[in-house]
Amino acid sequence: MLIGGIEAGGTKFVCAVGDESGNILDKITFPTEEPDKTLDAAKQFFNKHDIQALGVGSFGPVDLNKKSKTFGSILNTPKLKWKQFHLLDQLKQDYNVPITLDTDVNAAALGEYKYGAAKNVASVLYITVGTGIGAGFVKDGQTYIGKSHPEMGHIFIQQRKDDNFEGNCPYHGTCLEGLASGPAIEKRFGKKGDLLGADHIAWEITADYLAQAIINYLLILSPEKVIIGGGVMKQKQLYPLIRRKVLEFSNAYMELENLDEMIVTPKLNDEQGIKGAIALALLG
Amino acid sequence: MLIGGIEAGGTKFVCAVGDESGNILDKITFPTEEPDKTLDAAKQFFNKHDIQALGVGSFGPVDLNKKSKTFGSILNTPKLKWKQFHLLDQLKQDYNVPITLDTDVNAAALGEYKYGAAKNVASVLYITVGTGIGAGFVKDGQTYIGKSHPEMGHIFIQQRKDDNFEGNCPYHGTCLEGLASGPAIEKRFGKKGDLLGADHIAWEITADYLAQAIINYLLILSPEKVIIGGGVMKQKQLYPLIRRKVLEFSNAYMELENLDEMIVTPKLNDEQGIKGAIALALLG
């Protein structure tokens, strides 16, 4: 069976066709422009393939509340041409196959769960730390959606006493995203993270906030594995720092064995999103 | 069908028999003493009834990881005679019926979901604020358990700049429980909460921390409804304060309609735990 997948990101769209085993047979990437133009480009790609189902991992916020009148539409995004755009309706017009819509981070979590670093566990949290911070969660083969989809990047944590940064989240100031996203690091230290040295205090501070967030996620969701990806995590020194701080902050309250295997890097080399999108179509 | 339920609390045990509709037909309450004596008292009660199944909502932490060798035993509790006690094994010896074991807070959430304030929603978070802080979660009729059960009371939040209290959580100092539990309020202000006036600053501060915690739970779990119970919440002025602060802290990021119906008191008059325990046995 040939399955289509769309990783609908805020800056780029990835479209691919693949099979039930996670193999990708054809793939295309193009920039995210206005909805019509972008979805036309997707249609041109899929016209070449006889797909039986389509999975879509979308940027958000996207209305995933099945009881809602606007189910399947993009909500309050800064990308104005996409705001209130009814993505699922348009896709249904474009493709006469079953369509499964979810968030980009849930798709990435599902990709790693089925084919990557979380292949052998029952539940996984996939955190991405980049321009923003978000997380997707998969348990027992299903992506997690509540009333609508989580927005885990905006949780409150404790700001360090030696950190006076006012935060850069337009809604919450010093929430996790406001303190630890790529733009937050750049704003606090006056240059992009990758221009700071690997031993810069920025990483100690960032690891502190991400470790606190992971503690909160563990206490609330109790996942077996935590994968952290995204542009900021190209700073590989963050992983041991985060693990050390998770252990320190938990302070023996939680039973945390072998954090080297519990808090890990993604395994699918930036293909977790598109492989997960294809896998979404198989959830049924 | 006659169903047994045990609300196994840290200070008291409630045992009851009931039916599939949430009616309680007989009930007994006695203090929690050492395991043998306490479970014998339960056995004496249930000997009088021909139960077909048993549901147990237990204090914790309790090992709910089915893959674990100690599945069903009490873990690291300050109640030393219960530490490492294999509750589920003992219950299986005492009762020759199917037994469902879960946490006390998941049982309470399930009770309110089936018979109380959350009867008409798909997902509910039940928070209890008392000697400790904990929360149970039910979605689509199932209680939520991850690798093991959540311990949501210990999440990190932002401490207010006007609050210098060092916190009283032995593990985390100023986590939510360390800042907003009954004993935290008493330690900070030098007397029990119910001796402070309803307009004391204590409630403003406590509402602040509980509102932040609710924001975090909403962002991670996206429940349809949030019920807050427990001894501290006998201070009814907390409810409007918490709702106002949730709205303020969310700052229009989340779509929060009608908080009066979303963040509510329990409805089952302290019977959510035992009714939920009976309902656990019906989950199968």
Side-chain angles (χ1 to χ4, degrees):
Chain A
M1 187 164 109
L2 215 54
I3 307 149
I6 301 179
E7 184 185 355
T11 49
K12 67 179 167 103
F13 259 55
V14 183
C15 299
V17 290
D19 62 20
E20 288 104 326
S21 306
N23 300 306
I24 288 186
L25 309 169
D26 194 7
K27 189 170 96 165
I28 190 173
T29 300
F30 47 86
T32 305
E33 301 188 66
E34 58 188 83
D36 285 359
K37 196 173 164 190
T38 312
L39 294 178
D40 273 352
K43 210 159 57 172
Q44 279 181 38
F45 170 78
F46 287 113
N47 277 344
K48 297 183 290 172
H49 302 280
D50 185 27
I51 59 169
Q52 304 295 305
L54 178 67
V56 183
S58 175
F59 71 97
V62 51
D63 187 347
L64 294 181
N65 176 3
K66 286 187 178 166
K67 292 189 217 163
S68 163
K69 281 178 190 160
T70 53
F71 173 65
S73 62
I74 305 288
L75 298 171
N76 199 13
T77 171
K79 303 175 74 68
L80 294 180
K81 291 201 168 159
W82 286 86
K83 193 171 165 172
Q84 314 303 339
F85 178 72
H86 208 307
L87 178 61
L88 186 60
D89 271 5
Q90 186 58 52
L91 292 169
K92 281 181 176 171
Q93 284 181 35
D94 291 348
Y95 307 97
N96 192 23
V97 297
I99 299 172
T100 309
L101 176 67
D102 209 319
T103 59
D104 45 5
V105 279
N106 265 352
L110 186 62
E112 290 286 343
Y113 174 88
K114 290 204 69 160
Y115 310 116
K119 246 189 331 194
N120 302 312
V121 297
S123 56
V124 61
L125 183 75
Y126 180 94
I127 309 171
T128 177
V129 188
T131 310
I133 298 181
F137 182 52
V138 170
K139 182 167 176 286
D140 301 325
Q142 297 294 323
T143 59
Y144 184 85
I145 300 167
K147 184 183 174 190
S148 191
H149 62 81
E151 281 287 355
M152 303 196 201
H154 289 267
I155 61 169
F156 292 116
I157 48 163
Q158 291 180 358
Q159 187 165 14
R160 287 161 61 112
K161 295 210 161 60
D162 65 353
D163 179 19
N164 296 315
F165 181 49
E166 71 275 17
N168 76 335
C169 172
Y171 294 96
H172 315 115
T174 56
C175 69
L176 174 66
E177 180 170 303
L179 289 172
S181 64
I185 295 168
E186 181 176 352
K187 193 170 174 198
R188 186 195 281 106
F189 297 106
K191 49 178 151 176
K192 282 187 188 298
D194 47 15
L195 300 178
L196 305 168
D199 57 354
H200 194 280
I201 183 75
W203 310 120
E204 161 90 15
I205 293 173
T206 303
D208 186 319
Y209 297 143
L210 292 172
Q212 284 191 57
I214 289 169
I215 293 273
N216 285 3
Y217 302 143
L218 292 175
L219 289 166
I220 295 172
L221 292 169
S222 188
E224 270 190 62
K225 199 173 275 262
V226 176
I227 301 173
I228 327 175
V232 169
M233 298 306 296
K234 306 284 179 203
Q235 304 286 332
K236 295 295 177 201
Q237 70 278 13
L238 281 170
Y239 290 93
L241 279 173
I242 289 169
R243 290 188 196 108
R244 204 185 66 210
K245 283 176 184 290
V246 165
L247 207 57
E248 178 192 324
F249 297 159
S250 169
N251 195 21
Y253 179 72
M254 287 185 275
E255 297 189 27
L256 299 169
E257 299 147 19
N258 205 345
L259 283 182
D260 287 351
E261 284 183 20
M262 189 190 174
I263 300 175
V264 299
T265 59
K267 263 201 180 157
L268 297 185
N269 297 321
D270 296 330
E271 287 205 315
Q272 54 282 112
I274 187 62
K275 288 193 174 183
I278 293 171
L280 281 172
L282 297 166
L283 290 184
Chain B
M1 187 163 107
L2 215 54
I3 307 149
I6 301 178
E7 184 185 353
T11 49
K12 66 179 166 103
F13 260 54
V14 184
C15 297
V17 290
D19 62 18
E20 289 103 325
S21 306
N23 300 307
I24 287 185
L25 310 170
D26 194 6
K27 189 169 94 165
I28 190 172
T29 300
F30 47 87
T32 305
E33 301 188 65
E34 57 187 85
D36 285 359
K37 196 173 165 190
T38 313
L39 294 178
D40 273 351
K43 211 161 54 171
Q44 278 180 38
F45 171 77
F46 287 114
N47 276 343
K48 297 184 292 173
H49 303 281
D50 184 28
I51 59 168
Q52 304 295 304
L54 178 67
V56 183
S58 175
F59 71 96
V62 51
D63 187 347
L64 294 180
N65 177 3
K66 286 187 180 166
K67 291 189 219 164
S68 163
K69 280 177 193 162
T70 53
F71 173 65
S73 61
I74 305 289
L75 298 171
N76 200 13
T77 171
K79 303 174 76 64
L80 293 180
K81 291 202 169 160
W82 286 87
K83 193 170 166 173
Q84 314 303 340
F85 177 74
H86 208 308
L87 178 62
L88 185 59
D89 271 4
Q90 185 58 52
L91 292 168
K92 281 182 175 170
Q93 284 182 33
D94 291 349
Y95 306 98
N96 192 23
V97 298
I99 299 172
T100 309
L101 176 67
D102 209 319
T103 60
D104 45 6
V105 280
N106 266 352
L110 186 62
E112 291 286 341
Y113 175 88
K114 290 203 69 160
Y115 311 116
K119 246 189 334 195
N120 302 310
V121 298
S123 56
V124 62
L125 183 75
Y126 180 94
I127 309 172
T128 177
V129 188
T131 311
I133 299 180
F137 182 52
V138 170
K139 181 166 177 284
D140 301 326
Q142 297 294 322
T143 59
Y144 183 85
I145 300 167
K147 183 184 174 190
S148 192
H149 62 79
E151 281 287 355
M152 304 195 200
H154 289 266
I155 61 169
F156 292 116
I157 51 163
Q158 292 180 358
Q159 188 165 12
R160 288 161 61 111
K161 293 209 163 61
D162 65 354
D163 179 19
N164 296 314
F165 181 48
E166 70 275 18
N168 75 336
C169 172
Y171 294 98
H172 315 114
T174 56
C175 69
L176 175 65
E177 181 171 301
L179 288 172
S181 65
I185 295 168
E186 181 176 351
K187 191 169 174 199
R188 186 194 282 107
F189 296 105
K191 50 179 151 175
K192 282 188 188 299
D194 45 17
L195 301 177
L196 305 168
D199 57 353
H200 194 281
I201 183 76
W203 310 120
E204 162 90 13
I205 292 174
T206 303
D208 186 319
Y209 298 143
L210 292 173
Q212 285 191 56
I214 289 169
I215 293 272
N216 285 3
Y217 303 144
L218 293 174
L219 289 166
I220 294 173
L221 292 170
S222 189
E224 267 189 64
K225 198 172 278 261
V226 175
I227 301 174
I228 328 177
V232 170
M233 299 306 296
K234 305 284 178 200
Q235 303 287 332
K236 295 295 176 202
Q237 69 277 13
L238 280 170
Y239 290 92
L241 279 172
I242 288 169
R243 290 187 195 106
R244 203 186 67 210
K245 283 176 185 290
V246 164
L247 207 58
E248 179 191 323
F249 297 159
S250 168
N251 196 20
Y253 179 71
M254 286 184 277
E255 296 189 28
L256 299 170
E257 299 146 19
N258 204 347
L259 283 183
D260 287 350
E261 284 182 21
M262 188 189 173
I263 300 175
V264 299
T265 59
K267 264 200 181 158
L268 297 186
N269 296 319
D270 295 330
E271 287 205 315
Q272 53 284 114
I274 187 63
K275 288 193 174 184
I278 293 170
L280 280 173
L282 298 164
L283 290 183

